[in-house]
Amino acid sequence: LAKKQGKNGYAFYDINLENESLEKRLLENAMRDAIINQQFYLEYQPKLNIKTGQLIGMEALVRWNHPVIGRIPPGKFIPLAEETGMIIPLGEWILKESCEQIVKWQEMGYPYLPVSVNVSVRQLDDNEFINKVEKILKETQINPAMLELEVTESVFADVKNAAEILQQIRNLGIQVSIDDFGTGYSSLTYIKHLPIDTLKVDQSFVKDIHVNEESRAIIKAVITLANSIGINVIAEGVEMKEHVVELVNEGCKLGQGYYFSKPLSVQDFEQFMQQHYRVKEK
Ligand code: C2E
Ligand code: MG
Ligand code: MG
Ligand code: MG
């Protein structure tokens, strides 16, 4: 594999390369077991009206707790799951689990709030994707309006009939949002022609909105455009009071981030709902 012919005819390994692919293969195998052994679970991060503090929904985020390695961050295993195709069964599990959870909360008497689920490009590229989503809607009996799928901008470059697939998703009554918006290549005017409900402004613009004129200008432009074509904007990575002040100033109504809450376990999210949900005022 990474064997190279050395000077004296000895074969040697490129240690770094070998380690990298070994780690990948170990993780890949571990991931197969993890699905079976239920090592994956979800956390939920609140989404709020940043002006009133009203809880308006949540984002489901997958977590992996390996019995030996410990917690492995999604930034590490999601790309690998995408590369190996493991994201297909894992993504299906995540979607079903999220839908089951919010139906369960509603049945327990908690407010029926929409859940946003990250979907990777690789899943949208799967011919069976729409069928799988339909099946999950049926099985869980979730109101499709309570489900939102978050996709990244790269979907328009990487999936051949992306607009068509997004339209099929919306035809099921599900919402679509563009995650990490502003980091990809889609121009603002292009967005107008796509079946999208919400733009999720990437945290890199929010991070320095209070000190960086450029970030503020970008967020302002996104909000102006979104308002004019009737789509929502949510800011992610809201970490400080200063972020909230600037976002409110620019007319951004929704947000999520550590300032309000980190992603929470099921139990902690229940507590959060008890503390933060208020019946909408007219
Ligand atoms: P994302 O979808 O953009 O999710 C937001 C990430 O930002 C999450 O990281 C979240 O914990 C983190 N975050 C939330 N608030 C703040 C904040 O105030 N400051 C900062 N610095 N970060 C904040 P996480 O959970 O580590 O996930 C990282 C990425 O992994 C996600 O980015 C998403 O692309 C992917 N991912 C996570 N869960 C799933 C999943 O269930 N399915 C798929 N396909 N991808 C997932
Ligand atoms: Mg997301
Ligand atoms: Mg994402
Ligand atoms: Mg994001």
Side-chain angles (χ1 to χ4, degrees):
L1 227 95
K3 251 181 206 165
K4 290 174 191 165
Q5 283 303 111
K7 242 192 209 149
N8 309 316
Y10 288 108
F12 65 91
Y13 289 94
D14 181 325
I15 299 286
N16 288 324
L17 253 183
E18 273 300 299
N19 277 345
E20 201 181 300
S21 63
L22 180 65
E23 191 193 341
K24 265 190 188 173
R25 274 172 30 223
L26 286 174
L27 271 184
E28 184 185 342
N29 283 328
M31 224 184 296
R32 273 179 223 284
D33 294 341
I35 295 184
I36 298 164
N37 298 326
Q38 298 172 304
Q39 290 162 18
F40 290 108
Y41 62 98
L42 301 181
E43 284 187 341
Y44 298 89
Q45 186 175 35
K47 292 189 179 191
L48 302 100
N49 176 323
I50 59 174
K51 211 171 162 181
T52 64
Q54 165 100 28
L55 179 64
I56 56 126
M58 72 208 83
E59 177 176 9
L61 294 155
V62 69
R63 301 289 178 250
W64 181 7
N65 194 3
H66 187 276
V68 177
I69 308 169
R71 271 173 159 257
I72 304 165
K76 188 151 192 165
F77 68 83
I78 291 288
L80 188 62
E82 288 170 342
E83 218 175 286
T84 57
M86 208 74 80
I87 193 69
I88 303 287
L90 178 59
E92 205 177 333
W93 177 83
I94 292 166
L95 190 58
K96 183 151 188 221
E97 180 74 14
S98 314
C99 293
E100 275 174 355
Q101 185 59 65
I102 67 152
V103 170
K104 193 164 152 195
W105 274 331
Q106 188 238 351
E107 285 167 351
M108 287 167 75
Y110 288 105
Y112 204 8
L113 294 168
V115 65
S116 307
V117 180
N118 292 284
V119 169
S120 73
V121 163
R122 187 77 194 260
Q123 288 173 271
L124 292 172
D125 229 356
D126 169 18
N127 289 329
E128 286 301 305
F129 182 71
I130 294 293
N131 287 339
K132 286 173 184 167
V133 173
E134 273 189 285
K135 187 165 163 256
I136 291 171
L137 293 181
K138 266 208 199 97
E139 285 172 355
T140 62
Q141 289 291 305
I142 187 178
N143 174 352
M146 292 294 149
L147 179 60
E148 177 177 70
L149 300 186
E150 293 190 3
V151 302
T152 50
E153 271 172 289
S154 69
V155 68
F156 302 111
D158 297 342
V159 179
K160 46 179 185 323
N161 39 9
E164 200 180 302
I165 293 165
L166 297 186
Q167 189 58 55
Q168 287 177 334
I169 293 170
R170 281 178 111 211
N171 291 346
L172 293 172
I174 297 167
Q175 309 255 333
V176 174
S177 84
I178 302 298
D179 204 351
D180 309 332
F181 186 73
T183 57
Y185 301 98
S186 54
S187 80
L188 287 175
T189 48
Y190 182 59
I191 289 296
K192 186 176 175 176
H193 306 288
L194 294 168
I196 287 164
D197 302 283
T198 302
L199 296 177
K200 204 167 177 186
V201 183
D202 190 65
Q203 24 185 289
S204 58
F205 304 112
V206 176
K207 204 185 165 87
D208 58 2
I209 186 179
H210 57 306
V211 289
N212 186 328
E213 197 57 54
E214 245 169 71
S215 290
R216 191 155 51 225
I218 287 166
I219 288 185
K220 200 172 183 160
V222 172
I223 292 165
T224 304
L225 169 100
N227 284 342
S228 75
I229 61 175
I231 56 183
N232 304 310
V233 175
I234 183 162
E236 65 177 342
V238 182
E239 291 183 354
M240 313 188 290
K241 178 82 190 169
E242 287 90 331
H243 295 159
V244 178
V245 171
E246 290 300 333
L247 288 165
V248 168
N249 264 344
E250 301 302 347
C252 181
K253 296 193 185 76
L254 311 176
Q256 74 183 89
Y258 298 157
Y259 178 73
F260 301 104
S261 170
K262 63 182 181 126
L264 302 171
S265 68
V266 167
Q267 214 182 357
D268 290 346
F269 196 87
E270 288 172 358
Q271 218 173 348
F272 192 92
M273 280 193 283
Q274 286 165 22
Q275 289 162 353
H276 290 257
Y277 189 79
R278 288 190 292 281
V279 177
K280 262 189 205 111
E281 288 157 38
K282 284 259 167 74

